Amino acid sequence: MEENINTDTAEKNPARKLPCVALRNLVILPNVLIHFDISGDRALSAVDAAMLENQEIFITAVQNYSVEDPGKDDLYKMGTLSKIRQVIKMPGHIVRIMVEAVERAEVVRFSKKKEYFHVQIRTFPKEKAQDVSAEEAEAMRREIEELFSEFVSFFPRIGKAVGRQFSEIPDLGDLMDAVIANMPLDFEHKQEVLERVSYKDRFAKVREILAQEIDIARIRSDFAEKVRGRVDQEQRDYFLREQLRYIREELGDKVPENEADKYQQMCDKLDAPKEVKEKIYKEIERFRNIPMGSSESGVDQIHIETLLEIPWNKLSTDNKSLEHAENVLERDHYGLEKVKERMIEFLAVKNLTEKGQSPIILLVGPPGTGKTSIAKSIADALGRKYIRISLGGVRDEAEIRGHRKTYVGAMPGVIATGLQQAGVRNPLILLDEVDKLSSDYHGATSSALLEVLDAEQNKHFRDHYIEAPLDLSDVLFIATANSTQGIPVPLLDRMEVVEVSGYTQNEKFHIAKEHLIRKQLKKNGLKSSQLKISDDGINAIIDLYTREAGVRKLERRIGELCRKTAKIVYKGEKKSLKVTAKNLEEYLGKPKYLPEDELGEDAVGIVRGLAWTSVGGTTLEIEVNIMPGKGALVLTGQLGDVMKESARAGLSYVRSVSPVYGIPESFYRNHDFHIHIPEGAVPKDGPSAGITMATALFSAVTGSKVKATVAMTGEITLRGRVLPIGGLKEKILAAKNAHIKTVLVPEKNRRDVEEISEEIKEGINILYMESMDQVLSEALTELPAKAQPDSSKKKRSKKGKTDGHKEG
């Protein structure tokens, strides 16, 4: 079997036929004296054949050393023509051969004899490879010598062995081969240099390899220096620590107890699951083997102490008395009946079943309605530890699940930390402002809460820092939010939503009289006899100085009265102060809000609507002006896209019913319509103002007046249907506070209205609407007369249709 690789070259350059030995992971460069061991039958046969002739042999390398039986395609074509100088037989059928590599050679023709490879090669004379001038050769030589000197500075042994040898090599090519042959490189790099016949190509490759190896050596040297410095520091610390221990013993001072033994004793006494204790024991053993004073020792010590402080099986005893729970809840909060009832139900079920799955409750309502404070009262009523976790602005998933202990400054998440602070496994944990969670590239925080707030999964909650399952099934979770809109649906689905609506005037009065005044008196160091606020004074503060769904501003105003009283009493001006509606302005200044008893007169193009905001319900007046123009619709008041679409839908409806009331189509082509909602700095959006804007447009177009005592809310369609909306409780409460007499709501919201307490609905006439015809009949003082149909026009139309049919 024979293969001709390059016949043209073979004809130009007479080639020699030699036996071939293929080596694994070894490349031999010219002018090198080297020995190696062979044991394969094929290689031994090739050596025997060479020894029988002129001792010349061709040596190449196997491209892939993992090939068991390499063929001609597995061998490099470029190798070295070598002379066998010595053959020594070793034990185990191994032969050690010493060869002298003479020059580069390339396979021209490849043949395979029965016992070994046989090749025809061609060599490369130096005069053909020298493609540089003498000046260029000298410059290259100096560059190679400088780079190699820098390289051997990192490897002194190599420098001592070959430094004198290199100065005696006159030829540039031989020098480059000698440099690469004496460097600790893999065989692929040496093969690349071997295949560069031209001096220019070989110089470029050798320079590239030297530069790369110098960079690697420099980095390794820096690493070694840092490690050496750290080891020296640890040895020094250990020596000083041992000296300190010896000095203490000589002085008779008590040597501190070994930390690992102390942790061992604490773990023995710890009430925890078996797998947890095994993990802690393992961590303690690891801590024993770490040198004291090292940074890793401190990290492990904090981790072990955290594991020992977690209340794995420790439970607090719940107060099972329903009467006690009811008294505590009624004592601390006025209203919030649904929340109180749900907690009493939970306690009753727990008393009956001895276990009872802890509910996961979400309190949703405007700010200042007592969502956070009711959680503290529930903890007191049940006799549980209380932990509050604020989630507002938390955007890192590790805040919930903790950081892995391998990170610098790692710590457990807020849930594990809460249990650690409580000291029991069944506290009440308040997740405050759960709708204010955010996320970034660290991960979605809300997704990390999915496992925490899932009653089926949180029995085995895993904190990244603790690295052991935490049982959260006995924890009573209560979350608060101002709105459910910012909460992802999967998270919202895991919680039982209890709405906490805004307070009525009567509820605010009772809260102020029974709770807020007493609280502020104590806070400002006053006795109840030093400040008296009359009932009409409390109502005046609520009406004229606050406008909110909750009672935070009301508490601030009462606190302001207390501070002014404290100053008067301390100066000795008066011994006590009585505040009424008449002298309230003397202490709180001019009223911030005007009374809304006067709703104004019936007007054209002005309709009062109802809106929902995150701080409760509010009323808003929608105004419409019509002026000569080209039919444009102008919307102002910082309206959102949905609200703008509702305005366009309302205008389309009004245009569609205009012929019924005798309004010509040219009226809309020759006039512009401007809809404005006051308080332009406040963004507004949503579809619930649809029927309000349509009513205002219809009133302006027809000149009909709208009743000032009527407010409305509902979405409108192009055909005039009234669709349901949300936030009805807050909207009706806002209407009540604004002294509205009649509220128009969609018929499909009837069930929502029935759930609202009678105290809120008292004094308001709530009417249910299905279409705009009903809305207009209730909102307008008088409907405009409908236009009479033109009978002659109808006849002409029918005749035209008949004639047209005949013509067709």
Side-chain angles (χ1 to χ4, degrees):
M1 178 183 176
E2 193 170 283
E3 181 186 0
N4 189 342
I5 295 177
N6 192 340
T7 55
D8 295 336
T9 308
E11 290 173 1
K12 292 178 181 178
N13 300 314
R16 286 183 275 181
K17 293 183 178 179
L18 297 173
C20 174
V21 171
L23 303 179
R24 298 177 188 273
N25 292 336
L26 180 62
V27 171
I28 300 175
L29 290 162
N31 302 310
V32 172
L33 186 66
I34 189 172
H35 62 78
F36 53 86
D37 297 341
I38 57 174
S39 58
D41 294 338
R42 185 180 297 169
L44 291 174
S45 299
V47 171
D48 291 341
M51 294 298 292
L52 291 175
E53 296 183 7
N54 56 0
Q55 300 180 354
E56 288 186 339
I57 193 168
F58 177 74
I59 299 177
T60 187
V62 180
Q63 296 181 21
N64 188 351
Y65 64 88
S66 62
V67 177
E68 291 291 336
D69 185 20
K72 61 181 184 298
D73 295 330
D74 299 316
L75 306 181
Y76 285 110
K77 300 297 183 289
M78 185 70 76
T80 52
L81 170 63
S82 303
K83 273 272 191 180
I84 300 176
R85 296 302 184 189
Q86 189 180 41
V87 177
I88 302 174
K89 290 187 178 181
M90 306 289 289
H93 196 62
I94 296 174
V95 175
R96 179 165 294 171
I97 300 173
M98 179 182 290
V99 299
E100 179 186 355
V102 179
E103 57 183 328
R104 281 174 175 75
E106 182 183 21
V107 177
V108 176
R109 184 173 297 165
F110 185 94
S111 63
K112 185 178 179 183
K113 292 192 175 183
K114 187 176 182 181
E115 299 86 2
Y116 57 89
F117 288 117
H118 199 266
V119 294
Q120 186 174 352
I121 63 170
R122 70 183 178 106
T123 58
F124 301 92
K126 287 184 179 180
E127 55 271 14
K128 292 187 177 181
Q130 292 176 348
D131 54 350
V132 294
S133 65
E135 291 78 9
E136 289 175 329
E138 182 61 26
M140 291 179 179
R141 181 186 186 90
R142 293 183 183 181
E143 177 75 7
I144 294 295
E145 287 177 348
E146 288 178 6
L147 288 173
F148 188 72
S149 298
E150 186 176 356
F151 173 76
V152 297
S153 65
F154 297 103
F155 301 95
R157 292 182 181 178
I158 297 177
K160 290 179 181 179
V162 301
R164 186 182 302 171
Q165 176 188 346
F166 284 174
S167 62
E168 298 173 356
I169 301 176
D171 183 69
L172 174 62
D174 294 343
L175 175 64
M176 291 189 287
D177 290 341
V179 166
I180 297 299
N182 284 279
M183 289 178 65
L185 301 173
D186 53 47
F187 78 96
E188 286 95 346
H189 282 92
K190 292 186 177 182
Q191 182 67 33
E192 289 177 358
V193 175
L194 181 64
E195 292 184 355
R196 263 60 170 190
V197 178
S198 165
Y199 279 18
K200 283 186 178 180
D201 293 344
R202 202 183 313 172
F203 170 77
K205 188 63 185 176
V206 171
R207 190 184 187 285
E208 176 189 339
I209 293 174
L210 275 170
Q212 183 179 0
E213 291 298 317
I214 288 170
D215 290 340
I216 295 172
R218 185 179 292 114
I219 294 171
R220 287 183 58 189
S221 177
D222 291 343
F223 282 161
E225 190 65 31
K226 289 179 182 178
V227 171
R228 191 180 304 113
R230 185 177 299 173
V231 171
D232 292 344
Q233 181 65 33
E234 290 179 359
Q235 289 177 344
R236 176 178 175 275
D237 293 346
Y238 174 76
F239 178 71
L240 292 175
R241 199 173 291 108
E242 289 299 317
Q243 280 189 329
L244 182 61
R245 182 189 296 274
Y246 176 75
I247 292 171
R248 283 179 174 173
E249 289 176 354
E250 289 297 319
L251 292 173
D253 292 345
K254 187 178 178 181
V255 180
E257 185 182 9
N258 187 280
E259 293 291 331
D261 293 338
K262 183 177 72 174
Y263 295 148
Q264 185 87 23
Q265 294 172 9
M266 293 173 65
C267 189
D268 293 339
K269 298 176 183 177
L270 184 66
D271 183 12
K274 181 180 178 181
E275 60 271 17
V276 173
K277 297 189 75 170
E278 288 177 354
K279 174 179 176 54
I280 298 175
Y281 284 134
K282 185 178 178 182
E283 291 293 328
I284 293 172
E285 287 302 315
R286 183 173 179 273
F287 174 67
R288 287 183 191 274
N289 299 323
I290 298 175
M292 289 298 294
S294 68
S295 59
E296 192 175 358
S297 171
V299 171
D300 269 23
Q301 192 170 1
I302 296 173
H303 184 239
I304 293 171
E305 289 175 356
T306 303
L307 292 175
L308 292 172
E309 290 173 1
I310 295 291
W312 299 100
N313 289 335
K314 187 177 179 181
L315 295 167
S316 63
T317 304
D318 287 351
N319 191 326
K320 296 185 178 182
S321 172
L322 297 184
E323 184 179 355
H324 168 75
E326 289 175 346
N327 291 337
V328 171
L329 294 175
E330 290 295 336
R331 177 196 70 197
D332 294 341
H333 288 80
Y334 183 88
L336 302 177
E337 300 302 330
K338 283 188 177 181
V339 184
K340 296 176 182 177
E341 182 182 359
R342 183 65 184 87
M343 287 300 104
I344 299 300
E345 290 171 356
F346 159 69
L347 189 56
V349 171
K350 186 172 178 61
N351 291 344
L352 289 173
T353 61
E354 296 297 333
K355 178 67 176 174
Q357 194 175 54
S358 297
I360 298 170
I361 295 174
L362 173 63
L363 305 179
V364 180
T369 51
K371 300 184 297 299
T372 303
S373 59
I374 189 68
K376 182 71 169 66
S377 298
I378 293 170
D380 293 341
L382 300 179
R384 293 199 175 194
K385 297 283 187 178
Y386 171 74
I387 300 296
R388 176 180 173 271
I389 298 172
S390 179
L391 298 177
V394 174
R395 63 179 186 275
D396 189 354
E397 178 251 0
E399 293 283 340
I400 307 298
R401 287 188 172 275
H403 303 79
R404 300 194 183 278
K405 66 175 184 176
T406 53
Y407 290 109
V408 176
M411 58 191 299
V414 292
I415 304 297
T417 303
L419 292 178
Q420 186 180 354
Q421 293 172 353
V424 291
R425 200 183 73 187
N426 62 335
L428 183 149
I429 294 182
L430 174 68
L431 302 175
D432 212 5
E433 307 292 355
V434 74
D435 58 329
K436 307 299 189 302
L437 286 170
S438 58
S439 59
D440 63 3
Y441 63 93
H442 290 105
T445 316
S446 57
S447 300
L449 281 175
L450 293 178
E451 184 183 1
V452 175
L453 299 181
D454 192 330
E456 302 297 330
Q457 300 180 31
N458 63 10
K459 188 175 178 65
H460 302 287
F461 171 72
R462 277 194 173 272
D463 185 279
H464 290 158
Y465 184 81
I466 302 298
E467 295 180 338
L470 287 170
D471 186 0
L472 303 180
S473 59
D474 291 315
V475 178
L476 175 57
F477 285 104
I478 296 181
T480 68
N482 297 131
S483 169
T484 58
Q485 294 178 357
I487 304 174
V489 175
L491 183 60
L492 185 64
D493 184 58
R494 284 165 165 76
M495 297 183 283
E496 181 181 341
V497 179
V498 177
E499 292 189 3
V500 181
S501 60
Y503 294 116
T504 63
Q505 175 91 6
N506 183 49
E507 287 175 332
K508 289 181 180 180
F509 172 80
H510 285 287
I511 291 170
K513 190 171 184 179
E514 298 171 16
H515 299 281
L516 301 183
I517 294 177
R518 189 187 314 139
K519 179 181 175 182
Q520 287 297 322
L521 286 174
K522 183 178 179 181
K523 185 177 180 181
N524 290 278
L526 294 174
K527 298 177 182 178
S528 58
S529 60
Q530 293 175 316
L531 176 62
K532 298 287 185 181
I533 305 177
S534 64
D535 291 352
D536 63 334
I538 296 173
N539 284 319
I541 296 173
I542 296 170
D543 286 337
L544 304 178
Y545 292 90
T546 64
R547 187 65 54 83
E548 58 177 341
V551 291
R552 280 207 182 116
K553 290 183 179 177
L554 177 59
E555 184 177 2
R556 291 193 193 105
R557 294 302 178 191
I558 295 172
E560 187 176 348
L561 285 175
C562 291
R563 291 192 299 274
K564 292 185 182 300
T565 304
K567 185 184 74 171
I568 292 172
V569 171
Y570 186 77
K571 285 185 174 182
E573 298 174 8
K574 292 181 180 179
K575 291 185 177 180
S576 63
L577 195 68
K578 184 173 182 179
V579 178
T580 63
K582 293 180 179 179
N583 65 352
L584 186 62
E585 188 173 331
E586 181 181 343
Y587 301 104
L588 295 183
K590 295 292 183 182
K592 305 297 181 184
Y593 305 96
L594 297 176
E596 297 190 40
D597 294 326
E598 299 296 332
L599 294 174
E601 299 179 353
D602 302 341
V604 175
I606 300 178
V607 185
R608 182 165 291 196
L610 300 174
W612 178 93
T613 68
S614 60
V615 296
T618 184
T619 61
L620 47 85
E621 285 189 346
I622 295 179
E623 302 175 345
V624 174
N625 266 358
I626 298 178
M627 61 216 85
K630 298 181 180 180
L633 175 62
V634 181
L635 303 169
T636 56
Q638 204 172 158
L639 311 186
D641 292 338
V642 177
M643 206 166 192
K644 291 177 181 178
E645 292 173 356
S646 296
R648 295 187 186 99
L651 180 60
S652 297
Y653 166 75
V654 173
R655 291 183 66 174
S656 68
V657 299
S658 292
V660 178
Y661 297 97
I663 300 171
E665 183 61 30
S666 59
F667 178 84
Y668 296 95
R669 292 194 297 268
N670 300 327
H671 292 83
D672 288 344
F673 303 87
H674 188 163
I675 300 178
H676 177 69
I677 302 178
E679 298 184 24
V682 180
K684 309 167 189 72
D685 205 359
S688 62
I691 64 172
T692 314
M693 290 187 284
T695 304
L697 283 166
F698 185 86
S699 168
V701 169
T702 60
S704 305
K705 292 185 178 181
V706 181
K707 298 175 184 176
T709 58
V710 174
M712 62 188 72
T713 180
E715 183 178 355
I716 188 175
T717 69
L718 291 174
R719 300 301 176 90
R721 291 184 295 120
V722 180
L723 301 183
I725 41 78
L728 202 54
K729 186 175 183 179
E730 288 77 9
K731 292 177 180 179
I732 293 178
L733 182 58
K736 182 179 179 69
N737 293 335
H739 307 286
I740 298 293
K741 306 300 181 186
T742 304
V743 176
L744 309 182
V745 301
E747 170 66 33
K748 293 182 179 180
N749 282 116
R750 184 186 290 268
R751 289 179 299 177
D752 300 323
V753 175
E754 291 172 355
E755 293 181 359
I756 300 174
S757 65
E758 293 299 326
E759 183 181 357
I760 296 177
K761 295 186 289 185
E762 185 180 359
I764 298 180
N765 182 25
I766 300 176
L767 303 177
Y768 302 94
M769 306 288 108
E770 290 184 330
S771 66
M772 276 301 299
D773 291 338
Q774 297 174 333
V775 173
L776 296 175
S777 64
E778 295 293 340
L780 301 179
T781 55
E782 184 180 356
L783 275 173
K786 294 186 178 181
Q788 296 297 324
D790 192 339
S791 58
S792 61
K793 187 180 291 186
K794 285 186 177 181
K795 288 179 181 179
R796 284 198 305 271
S797 176
K798 288 180 180 179
K799 184 178 180 181
K801 288 179 181 178
T802 306
D803 294 343
H805 179 70
K806 287 179 180 178
E807 289 173 4

